[in-house]
């Protein structure tokens, strides 16, 4: 596998039998079972603060969905600090921001990954007005269109407490997963993030605790490993 500076490895690919990969499959199964009557087709991930593991979680979850033979699309709606293009080694010349600004069509920016059943829409060029873009009617129309093409759409977003982007995206999704870095984030901060999601009537599907009992000598067991940015 080629390794650029920002290359990120996905444990669900590099070690799909590890207990950590199994936990991503369990997350997928839990999401599947959490909704019997309503369809959970568009799912986003966010966290209270930066660097809690959102992108790592959604990328591995996307692989887990694709591995279950579902036609899966990962959208990088973190228009501030996008990473999906690094994770899947694809270009970020065009992406979500290009479609919202009508520079490209959806078909032009959806890229195949090396993983069967998994396509990705990267962020595109970072715009000056991410929140406005994500809140646009065009963004809603893009999601609606994609719903007819994919079984599952997974969306990465920026931190909830820093900017309004994630809240805006949450209002357009069927459900949200909150990633909490257990070693770092205090309970009241996590609560605030949950309140932010509830304020837009988001359905919180669950909380993923990241970095549980993280110790310096446990590095090999972290579910994400690779070059740090
Ligand atoms: N469980 C983990 N063990 C070790 N490192 C981790 C773990 N989860 C995430 N990381 C590392 O922490 C960094 C941040 O992770 P990630 O990019 O997934 O977070 P994020 O919430 O998407 O960040 P941002 O808010 O910047 O978008 C990455 O470099 C990743 O390698
Ligand atoms: Mg991220």
């Amino acid at each position: 596998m080629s390794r650029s500076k920002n290359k990120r490895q996905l444990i669900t690919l590099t070690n799909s039998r590890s207990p950590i990969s199994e936990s991503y499959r369990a997350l997928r199964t839990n999401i599947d079972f959490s909704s019997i009557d309503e369809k959970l087709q568009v799912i986003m991930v966010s966290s209270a603060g930066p660097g809690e593991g959102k992108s790592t979680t959604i990328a591995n979850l996307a692989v887990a969905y694709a591995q279950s033979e579902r036609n899966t699309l990962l959208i990088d709606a973190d228009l501030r600090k996008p990473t999906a293009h690094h994770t899947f080694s694809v270009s970020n010349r065009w992406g979500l921001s290009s479609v919202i600004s009508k520079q490209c069509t959806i078909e032009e920016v959806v890229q195949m990954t090396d993983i069967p059943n998994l396509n990705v829409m990267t962020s595109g060029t970072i715009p000056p007005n991410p929140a406005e873009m994500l809140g646009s009617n065009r963004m809603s129309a893009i999601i609606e269109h994609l719903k007819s093409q994919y079984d599952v759409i997974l969306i990465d977003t920026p931190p909830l407490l820093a900017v309004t982007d994630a809240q805006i995206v949450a209002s357009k999704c069927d459900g949200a997963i909150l990633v909490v870095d257990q070693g770092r984030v205090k309970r009241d901060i996590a609560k605030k993030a949950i309140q932010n999601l509830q304020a837009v009537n988001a359905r919180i599907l669950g909380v993923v605790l990241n970095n549980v009992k993280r110790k310096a000598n446990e590095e090999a067991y972290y579910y994400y490993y690779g070059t740090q940015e």
Side-chain angles (χ1 to χ4, degrees):
M1 201 182 284
S2 69
R3 268 179 156 269
S4 66
K5 186 174 146 276
N6 287 314
K7 179 75 192 154
R8 292 166 155 233
Q9 290 190 10
L10 290 165
I11 192 157
T12 38
L13 281 184
T14 54
N15 193 353
S16 71
R17 288 174 181 211
S18 72
I20 300 154
S21 299
E22 184 51 47
S23 68
Y24 285 112
R25 287 191 286 274
L27 175 61
R28 180 196 67 202
T29 307
N30 286 338
I31 293 169
D32 286 344
F33 285 158
S34 68
S35 176
I36 305 299
D37 294 327
E38 290 160 66
K39 206 170 173 194
L40 281 180
Q41 194 181 2
V42 186
I43 299 164
M44 65 168 265
V45 69
S46 199
S47 64
E52 293 194 56
K54 295 178 287 298
S55 302
T56 308
T57 302
I58 201 87
N60 280 290
L61 186 61
V63 173
Y65 267 109
Q67 287 172 340
S68 71
E69 306 289 315
R70 269 166 288 183
N71 198 10
T72 307
L73 177 71
L74 174 68
I75 302 179
D76 197 343
D78 186 342
L79 300 182
R80 297 170 193 266
K81 229 189 129 198
T83 52
H85 53 292
H86 295 311
T87 311
F88 295 99
S89 304
V90 293
S91 159
N92 194 26
R93 178 136 188 244
W94 309 108
L96 178 60
S97 65
S98 333
V99 186
I100 299 174
S101 62
K102 298 191 176 168
Q103 289 172 283
C104 298
T105 63
I106 292 175
E107 287 70 27
E108 283 170 335
V109 303
V110 170
Q111 300 182 76
M112 287 199 305
T113 67
D114 295 337
I115 303 139
N117 308 317
L118 181 55
N119 285 355
V120 62
M121 185 189 285
T122 64
S123 67
T125 311
I126 294 176
N129 54 345
E132 197 187 320
M133 278 199 151
L134 296 172
S136 65
N137 290 336
R138 181 128 174 102
M139 176 68 185
S140 306
I142 292 167
I143 294 178
E144 277 312 309
H145 179 84
L146 290 167
K147 275 164 89 168
S148 63
Q149 301 191 338
Y150 290 91
D151 298 322
V152 189
I153 299 167
L154 299 171
I155 308 183
D156 195 4
T157 68
L160 274 158
L161 301 188
V163 285
T164 55
D165 304 21
Q167 241 183 330
I168 290 168
V169 173
S171 66
K172 301 178 194 285
C173 292
D174 301 326
I177 301 165
L178 190 71
V179 177
V180 176
D181 184 330
Q182 238 210 349
R184 223 159 20 134
V185 170
K186 299 263 181 313
R187 193 174 284 250
D188 53 329
I189 303 272
K191 254 192 193 161
K192 200 136 195 270
I194 290 174
Q195 283 165 0
N196 269 13
L197 289 171
Q198 286 169 337
V200 291
N201 291 325
R203 178 161 169 201
I204 300 168
L205 302 173
V207 173
V208 170
L209 293 180
N210 195 14
N211 286 343
V212 178
K213 287 193 204 134
R214 183 166 163 173
K215 287 192 204 118
N217 62 359
E218 278 181 350
E219 203 133 17
Y221 301 102
Y222 293 166
Y223 67 62
Y224 168 82
Y225 52 93
T227 320
Q228 297 278 320
E229 279 179 302

